[in-house]
């Protein structure tokens, strides 16, 4: 059984790594990795291949940048060539980025079964490009592997037949479990002159937060307020950096005393930074899950989440009112120890990829 697994953007690498590792345990699986090139900076891509022990991709399509349509269309054209050359039995896509839907569409048109890992998540916000990618990918996928109960409920509501849906847990947590010990040996926090739990870790990259001047100016105010009580560590995403520069906000950000700006971090470094932080402020999808697993408080700057279990069972709190004063109050509350306790959701145990491999073998290896 030949499986082509697609990676494109940063959040895909830690999901495909445990799958590839699980596939290697089964001689009947020929596992190949296709990198679309959606993320191309060394710090957004190469470092993850190295740290997550992924082999060099079998194909690199080199499609980075451009509008959503250009990016999606170019990936489709290039991936079609790979499909025709490789004639896979299964195409596996993860998550909700443009590479996910682009490759799923090509596979379906070639009548190749599509497997979607991390299916069924819905934020209910169609203004998010990822939400469109999720809905469309699930609609055409043959097997849908789900991380939480809400995913099953959403797919039922969308009339996806039950036999296509498998509740297996979370492959992103597989990576976290696998690499947590290794990350704990890093000295980055100490090297920055910081004590564990003495800083707030921040990431911000959603178009709805950083693609308009007012929003980004407000984020800057929030960083400023937060840094009055705790050091803020801020690895800056390329999109956010570009926009900060465009709107003349970067100099002020750089001048803030208690703020440490960093390049995007590697997987192990970021895991180490998360585990040692007092609080994480983010708009990421995956970080909501990772903080829930690590039981670190997380404030998510979004009105809705496609990962509701992180709010229902985990440590995640959504904030849509980004008034700097009320955000500062919330931050103070958490830093004073009034934190939301959480538990780890069912099946987030480090073995999701193995379950997926077993199911795929049963269904597709003959
Ligand atoms: C993409 C995903 C998002 C995911 C995020 C993680 C989609 C629709 N969005 O958003 O779901 O949470 O990745 O980072 O697929 N850029 C660089 N270097 C890079 C990569 C990007 O400079 O290595 C620049 C691009 O040229 C572009 C901007 O950053 O100007 C945004 O990149 P893009 O891939 O379009 O989307 P992300 O915002 O990263």
């Amino acid at each position: 059984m030949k499986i082509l697994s697609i990676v494109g953007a940063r959040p895909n690498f830690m999901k495909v790594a445990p799958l590839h590792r699980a596939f290697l345990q089964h001689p009947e699986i020929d596992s190949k990795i296709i990198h679309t090139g959606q993320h191309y900076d060394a710090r957004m891509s190469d470092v993850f291949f190295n740290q997550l022990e992924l082999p060099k991709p079998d194909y690199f399509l080199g499609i980075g940048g451009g509008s959503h349509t250009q990016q999606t269309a170019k990936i489709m054209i290039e991936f079609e060539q790979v499909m025709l050359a490789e004639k896979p039995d299964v195409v596996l896509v993860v998550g909700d980025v443009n590479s996910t839907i682009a490759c799923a569409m090509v596979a379906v048109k070639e009548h190749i079964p599509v497997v979607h890992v991390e299916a069924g998540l819905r934020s209910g916000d169609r203004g998010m490009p990822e939400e469109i990618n999720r809905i469309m990918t699930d609609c055409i996928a043959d097997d849908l592997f789900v991380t939480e109960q809400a995913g099953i409920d959403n797919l039922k509501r969308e009339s996806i037949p039950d036999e296509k849906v498998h509740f297996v847990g979370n492959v992103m947590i597989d990576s976290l479990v696998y690499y947590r010990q290794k990350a704990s040996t890093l000295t980055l926090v100490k090297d920055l002159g910081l004590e564990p739990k003495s800083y707030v870790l921040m990431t911000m990259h959603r178009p709805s937060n950083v693609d308009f001047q007012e929003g980004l100016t407000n984020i800057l105010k929030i960083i400023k307020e937060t840094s009055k009580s705790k050091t803020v560590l801020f690895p800056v995403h390329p999109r956010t950096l570009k926009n900060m520069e465009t709107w003349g906000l970067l100099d002020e950000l750089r001048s803030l005393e208690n703020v440490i700006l960093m390049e995007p971090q590697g997987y192990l470094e970021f895991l180490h930074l998360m585990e040692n932080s007092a609080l994480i402020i983010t708009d990421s999808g995956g970080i909501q899950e990772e903080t829930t697993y690590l039981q670190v408080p997380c404030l998510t700057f979004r009105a809705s989440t496609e990962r509701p279990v992180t709010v229902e069972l985990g440590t995640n709190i959504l904030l849509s009112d980004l008034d700097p004063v009320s955000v500062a109050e919330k931050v103070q509350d958490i830093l004073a120890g009034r934190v939301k306790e959480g538990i780890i959701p069912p099946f987030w145990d480090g073995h999701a990829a193995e379950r997926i491999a077993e199911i795929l073998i049963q269904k597709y290896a003959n």
Side-chain angles (χ1 to χ4, degrees):
M1 169 174 52
K2 187 191 282 186
I3 302 180
L4 302 187
S5 297
I6 311 300
V7 292
R10 185 167 61 178
N12 296 156
F13 306 125
M14 58 293 268
K15 294 169 192 167
V16 166
L19 287 163
H20 181 68
R21 200 169 39 247
F23 294 163
L24 291 182
Q25 299 303 311
H26 298 276
E28 57 273 65
I29 298 182
D30 175 12
S31 169
K32 295 202 167 179
I33 293 177
I34 319 299
H35 188 342
T36 64
Q38 182 176 339
H39 282 175
Y40 46 87
D41 284 356
R43 286 174 183 276
M44 298 294 284
S45 172
D46 301 0
V47 63
F48 291 87
F49 271 81
N50 297 333
Q51 294 189 344
L52 295 162
E53 299 161 274
L54 275 164
K56 192 170 168 291
D58 294 276
Y59 293 84
F60 181 75
L61 307 184
I63 310 295
S67 69
H68 283 263
T69 300
Q70 286 168 349
Q71 201 176 68
T72 309
K74 283 185 188 164
I75 294 170
M76 288 183 72
I77 291 168
E78 292 302 318
F79 183 57
E80 185 181 39
Q81 297 308 312
V82 177
M83 286 279 299
L84 296 175
E86 288 289 336
K87 302 189 180 9
D89 297 294
V90 170
V91 168
L92 182 150
V93 295
V94 296
D96 54 17
V97 302
N98 289 339
S99 302
T100 308
I101 179 60
C103 294
M105 260 198 294
V106 174
V108 168
K109 300 255 180 200
E110 290 298 317
H111 309 290
I112 301 299
V114 172
V115 167
H116 186 204
V117 175
E118 202 185 85
L121 299 181
R122 298 289 180 269
S123 66
D125 173 5
R126 289 200 177 201
M128 284 176 82
E130 294 83 0
E131 183 75 349
I132 306 301
N133 294 341
R134 292 178 195 121
I135 294 169
M136 289 173 59
T137 306
D138 285 342
C139 185
I140 57 178
D142 294 86
D143 286 283
L144 299 97
F145 291 102
V146 175
T147 52
E148 61 171 280
Q149 181 61 40
I152 299 178
D153 302 340
N154 292 330
L155 294 173
K156 230 183 236 314
R157 205 172 306 121
E158 291 172 24
S159 306
I160 306 282
D162 289 349
E163 59 272 20
K164 288 185 171 185
V165 179
H166 317 276
F167 187 10
V168 287
N170 193 323
V171 288
M172 187 169 213
I173 300 302
D174 288 6
S175 275
L176 192 159
V177 170
Y178 193 80
Y179 286 108
R180 190 176 186 184
Q181 167 58 29
K182 195 169 184 185
S184 75
T185 65
L186 301 190
T187 57
L188 180 56
V189 170
K190 209 166 120 218
D191 298 346
L192 289 165
L194 296 169
E195 292 293 322
K197 306 291 170 188
S198 72
Y199 61 89
V200 173
L201 180 62
M202 172 124 190
T203 80
M204 214 40 66
H205 76 281
R206 292 253 158 247
S208 57
N209 282 326
V210 307
D211 273 9
F212 68 113
Q213 191 170 358
E214 244 183 287
L216 205 51
T217 308
N218 200 42
I219 300 281
L220 180 59
K221 284 186 193 152
I222 291 170
I223 296 173
K224 205 169 169 175
E225 277 303 312
T226 308
S227 69
K228 286 179 186 162
S229 51
K230 279 261 191 268
T231 303
V232 176
L233 281 193
F234 186 16
V236 192
H237 186 281
R239 171 192 284 278
T240 310
L241 187 70
K242 208 182 280 181
N243 291 345
M244 283 265 178
E245 210 157 15
T246 305
W247 292 315
L249 302 169
L250 200 52
D251 287 344
E252 186 178 352
L253 180 66
R254 285 203 168 116
S255 73
L256 295 177
E257 252 177 40
N258 213 12
V259 175
I260 302 177
L261 296 184
M262 310 172 90
E263 302 257 18
Q265 294 295 298
Y267 181 73
L268 295 174
E269 288 80 5
F270 196 74
L271 182 47
H272 170 74
L273 292 179
M274 280 196 290
E275 181 127 40
N276 286 294
S277 64
L279 162 68
I280 301 188
I281 299 179
T282 190
D283 59 3
S284 154
I287 292 173
Q288 298 173 57
E289 300 184 330
E290 289 167 330
T291 47
T292 276
Y293 187 87
L294 294 170
Q295 305 191 310
V296 171
C298 180
L299 272 185
T300 302
F301 283 5
R302 288 173 46 185
S304 59
T305 180
E306 62 288 337
R307 294 161 160 93
V309 78
T310 61
V311 175
E312 289 154 13
L313 299 186
T315 52
N316 188 24
I317 297 171
L318 299 184
L319 266 193
S320 55
D321 172 14
L322 297 188
D323 164 53
V325 176
S326 54
V327 173
E329 278 167 14
K330 191 82 217 163
V331 169
Q332 285 316 320
D333 242 27
I334 293 171
L335 295 179
R338 283 183 288 279
V339 295
K340 180 175 170 230
E341 303 287 341
I343 58 164
I344 297 172
F347 285 129
W348 291 19
D349 57 1
H351 300 290
E354 293 153 37
R355 292 182 198 108
I356 292 172
E358 295 291 345
I359 292 170
L360 292 181
I361 285 171
Q362 268 184 24
K363 187 158 174 191
Y364 294 108
N366 44 36

